[in-house]
Amino acid sequence: MNSETSCADRRPVISVIVPIFDEEAVISELHRRMAAVLDGIGEPWELVCVNDGSRDTSLSMLLALREQDARLKVIDFSRNFGQQLAITAGMDFAQGDAVVVIDADLQDPPELIEEMLAKWREGYQVVYAVRADRKGESRFKLVTASVFYRLLHRITDVEIPVNAGEFRLMDRQVVLAMRRLREKHRFMRGLSSWVGFRQVGIEYQRAERFAGDTKYPLNKMLRLTLDAITSFSYIPLRLSTYFGFFLAALSLLGIVVTVISRLSGNSAFFGQASTLVAVLFLGGIQLIFLGIFGEYLARIYDDVRSRPLYIVSRAHGFFERDNRCDSKSAPENPSGFHPPAD
Ligand code: UDP
Ligand code: MG
């Protein structure tokens, strides 16, 4: 951007955040469709692409597009930190009054942003998109997604909307509130419910990925599920208490039954096999619960160490040297990290 740009031009009304991990196949189409939709709305906008350590040509493609369109801004991570942290960085840097988070693969139609803005103008501060239909996804993905949403809904204390992904619009006030949440293992959809404010969902048809493959293999999905559960529920911890009471009651009953059967001359519960089975069973249960405690403990450890959530190698389009505009134009950056301007 050149220094003649006026302050009004500088601070966008709409920010769209897109996490990018190996998305070279979709970037041009993403920019084309997004620009068409946002230009149609007629407010100043910025497209904040967070390059999450892509190994392909995504970064050079983004920078080439930025040469033609300065409204496209690029935050380049020093390595892959994951989609949730890419969204976090986008929200730390985004300057708009309304901030939209969307996937790069065009499964979520950018055209829905208009409808989201209409709800926002009605006074809703979070407008999340609910998937009415998911095309082109494997049966496995559909089943695991459905189990995931149901489980989460049952065991968490926060009302996390079912079948809503990352695609949502948030008012600046919500974004400012969410910037204060600096936990490491984050589940952004849960956090955006947790902060409260006036929320509403709108339905949409989820399309197929425009190009490329999913960047969420099973292990990443499992990790996200664990982060979601541990962030919003103590039930896995309590399970060990419940199970302990249950097993203690059962073994009391076992003692009574054994004593009675022995007294009546019955030869029940003799031999090593039953002892071995009981010991192995209990050993297994104890290890499972140790593992569950470990999941929580590791997350506490990560948070206590308080390393930065992500490292930006370079931010393109932020921190302009010319700072004559009002304070609103300077992005608040709670990560405390100020990369050089481009
Ligand atoms: N993504 C990312 N970092 C990662 C994995 C994914 O930034 O480590 C981005 C990816 O580029 C895409 C979004 O997260 O914009 C969602 O990924 P994808 O569409 O592959 O997930 P799916 O829709 O298959 O669950
Ligand atoms: Mg996708």
Side-chain angles (χ1 to χ4, degrees), residues 8 10 40 51 55 58 81 95 126-128 133 142 145 150 197 202 221-222 248 252 257 263 299 304 308 325-326:
R10 283 207 183 175
N51 178 40
R55 298 154 300 182
S58 294
F81 282 89
Q95 294 171 269
V126 176
V127 186
Y128 52 86
D133 188 18
L142 293 181
R150 265 168 221 205
F197 298 103
I202 52 176
M221 260 160 59
L222 278 178
L252 256 182
V257 171
L263 288 178
R299 285 166 174 80
V304 168
C325 296
D326 61 63

Coordinates of all heavy atoms in Angstrom, one line a residue, residues 8 10 40 51 55 58 81 95 126-128 133 142 145 150 197 202 221-222 248 252 257 263 299 304 308 325-326:
A8 N -9.5 6.1 5.8 CA -10.7 5.4 5.7 C -10.5 4.1 4.8 O -11.1 3.1 5.1 CB -11.7 6.3 5.0
R10 N -7.9 2.5 4.7 CA -7.0 1.6 5.4 C -7.6 0.6 6.3 O -7.3 -0.5 6.4 CB -6.0 2.4 6.2 CG -5.0 3.0 5.4 CD -3.8 3.1 6.2 NE -2.8 3.8 5.4 CZ -1.7 4.1 6.0 NH1 -1.5 3.9 7.3 NH2 -0.8 4.7 5.3
G40 N -18.9 -6.8 -4.3 CA -20.3 -6.6 -4.5 C -21.0 -6.0 -3.2 O -22.0 -5.3 -3.3
N51 N -0.5 -18.2 6.1 CA 0.2 -19.4 5.5 C 0.8 -20.2 6.6 O 1.8 -19.8 7.3 CB 1.3 -18.9 4.6 CG 2.1 -20.0 4.0 OD1 1.5 -21.1 3.7 ND2 3.4 -19.9 3.9
R55 N 4.1 -26.4 2.3 CA 5.3 -26.9 1.7 C 5.3 -26.7 0.2 O 6.2 -27.0 -0.5 CB 5.5 -28.4 2.1 CG 5.6 -28.6 3.6 CD 5.2 -30.0 4.0 NE 3.7 -30.2 3.6 CZ 3.1 -31.3 3.9 NH1 3.7 -32.3 4.5 NH2 1.8 -31.4 3.6
S58 N 2.2 -22.2 -2.2 CA 1.1 -21.3 -1.7 C 1.6 -19.9 -1.4 O 1.0 -18.9 -1.8 CB 0.5 -21.9 -0.4 OG -0.2 -23.1 -0.7
F81 N 1.6 -24.6 12.3 CA 1.2 -24.6 13.7 C -0.3 -25.2 13.8 O -0.8 -25.3 14.9 CB 1.2 -23.2 14.3 CG 2.5 -22.7 14.7 CD1 3.4 -22.1 13.8 CD2 3.0 -22.9 16.0 CE1 4.6 -21.6 14.2 CE2 4.2 -22.4 16.4 CZ 5.1 -21.8 15.5
Q95 N -8.4 -6.3 11.1 CA -8.7 -5.0 11.6 C -10.2 -4.6 11.4 O -10.6 -3.6 11.8 CB -7.8 -4.0 10.9 CG -6.4 -4.1 11.2 CD -5.5 -3.2 10.3 OE1 -5.1 -3.7 9.3 NE2 -5.4 -2.0 10.7
V126 N -22.3 -12.9 16.6 CA -21.7 -14.1 16.0 C -22.7 -14.7 15.1 O -23.8 -15.0 15.5 CB -21.3 -15.1 17.1 CG1 -20.7 -16.4 16.4 CG2 -20.2 -14.5 18.0
V127 N -22.3 -14.9 13.8 CA -23.2 -15.6 12.9 C -22.5 -16.8 12.4 O -21.5 -16.7 11.7 CB -23.6 -14.7 11.7 CG1 -24.6 -15.4 10.8 CG2 -24.1 -13.3 12.1
Y128 N -22.9 -18.0 12.8 CA -22.2 -19.2 12.4 C -23.0 -19.9 11.4 O -24.2 -19.9 11.3 CB -21.8 -20.1 13.6 CG -23.0 -20.5 14.5 CD1 -23.8 -21.5 14.2 CD2 -23.3 -19.7 15.6 CE1 -24.9 -21.9 15.0 CE2 -24.4 -20.0 16.4 CZ -25.2 -21.1 16.1 OH -26.3 -21.4 16.9
D133 N -26.1 -29.9 4.6 CA -25.8 -31.0 3.7 C -24.3 -31.0 3.4 O -23.7 -29.9 3.3 CB -26.6 -30.7 2.4 CG -26.5 -31.9 1.5 OD1 -26.2 -33.0 2.0 OD2 -26.8 -31.8 0.3
L142 N -18.3 -38.4 7.2 CA -19.6 -38.0 7.7 C -19.9 -38.7 9.0 O -20.4 -38.0 10.0 CB -20.6 -38.5 6.7 CG -20.6 -37.7 5.3 CD1 -21.7 -38.2 4.4 CD2 -20.7 -36.2 5.6
A145 N -17.7 -37.3 11.8 CA -18.1 -35.9 12.1 C -19.4 -35.9 13.0 O -19.5 -35.2 14.0 CB -18.3 -35.1 10.8
R150 N -22.0 -35.0 18.2 CA -22.9 -35.5 19.2 C -22.2 -35.6 20.6 O -22.7 -35.2 21.6 CB -23.5 -36.9 18.9 CG -24.8 -36.7 18.2 CD -25.2 -37.9 17.6 NE -25.8 -37.6 16.3 CZ -26.7 -38.3 15.7 NH1 -27.1 -39.5 16.2 NH2 -27.2 -38.0 14.5
F197 N -22.2 -13.3 23.9 CA -22.8 -12.3 22.9 C -24.0 -12.9 22.2 O -24.3 -14.1 22.4 CB -21.7 -11.8 21.9 CG -20.5 -11.1 22.6 CD1 -19.3 -11.8 22.8 CD2 -20.7 -9.8 23.1 CE1 -18.3 -11.1 23.4 CE2 -19.6 -9.2 23.8 CZ -18.4 -9.8 23.9
I202 N -27.0 -19.8 10.6 CA -27.7 -19.8 9.3 C -27.3 -21.1 8.6 O -26.1 -21.5 8.7 CB -27.5 -18.6 8.4 CG1 -26.0 -18.3 8.2 CG2 -28.1 -17.4 9.0 CD1 -25.7 -17.2 7.3
M221 N -7.6 -35.0 13.2 CA -8.9 -34.9 13.6 C -9.1 -35.4 15.1 O -9.8 -34.8 15.9 CB -9.8 -35.8 12.7 CG -10.6 -35.0 11.7 SD -11.1 -36.0 10.3 CE -12.2 -37.2 11.1
L222 N -8.3 -36.5 15.4 CA -8.4 -37.0 16.7 C -7.8 -36.0 17.7 O -8.3 -35.8 18.8 CB -7.6 -38.3 16.8 CG -8.3 -39.6 16.4 CD1 -7.4 -40.8 16.5 CD2 -9.5 -39.8 17.3
A248 N -15.6 -50.7 43.1 CA -15.6 -51.0 44.5 C -16.8 -51.7 45.0 O -16.8 -52.7 45.7 CB -15.3 -49.7 45.3
L252 N -17.1 -55.6 46.4 CA -17.7 -55.9 47.7 C -18.7 -57.0 47.5 O -18.8 -58.0 48.3 CB -18.5 -54.6 48.2 CG -17.9 -53.8 49.3 CD1 -18.8 -52.7 49.7 CD2 -17.6 -54.7 50.5
V257 N -20.3 -62.9 47.8 CA -20.6 -64.1 47.1 C -19.6 -65.2 47.3 O -19.9 -66.3 47.5 CB -20.7 -63.8 45.5 CG1 -20.9 -65.0 44.7 CG2 -21.9 -62.9 45.3
L263 N -18.4 -71.1 52.2 CA -19.0 -71.7 53.4 C -20.0 -72.8 53.0 O -20.1 -73.8 53.7 CB -19.8 -70.6 54.2 CG -18.9 -69.6 54.9 CD1 -19.7 -68.5 55.6 CD2 -17.9 -70.3 55.9
R299 N -1.7 -30.6 28.7 CA -2.2 -29.3 28.3 C -1.9 -28.2 29.3 O -1.6 -27.1 29.0 CB -3.7 -29.4 28.0 CG -3.9 -30.1 26.7 CD -5.4 -30.6 26.5 NE -5.5 -31.1 25.2 CZ -5.2 -32.4 24.8 NH1 -4.6 -33.2 25.6 NH2 -5.4 -32.8 23.5
V304 N 1.3 -23.6 31.1 CA 2.2 -23.1 32.1 C 3.5 -22.6 31.5 O 4.0 -21.5 31.9 CB 2.5 -24.1 33.2 CG1 3.6 -23.7 34.1 CG2 1.2 -24.3 34.0
P308 N 4.9 -18.6 23.1 CA 3.9 -17.9 22.2 C 3.1 -19.0 21.4 O 3.6 -20.1 21.2 CB 4.8 -17.1 21.2 CG 6.2 -17.6 21.4 CD 6.3 -18.3 22.7
C325 N -2.8 7.6 11.0 CA -4.2 7.3 11.3 C -4.4 7.2 12.8 O -3.5 7.1 13.6 CB -4.6 6.0 10.6 SG -4.5 6.2 8.8
D326 N -5.7 7.1 13.1 CA -6.1 7.0 14.5 C -5.7 5.7 15.0 O -5.3 4.8 14.3 CB -7.6 7.2 14.7 CG -8.4 6.2 13.9 OD1 -8.2 5.0 14.3 OD2 -9.1 6.5 13.0

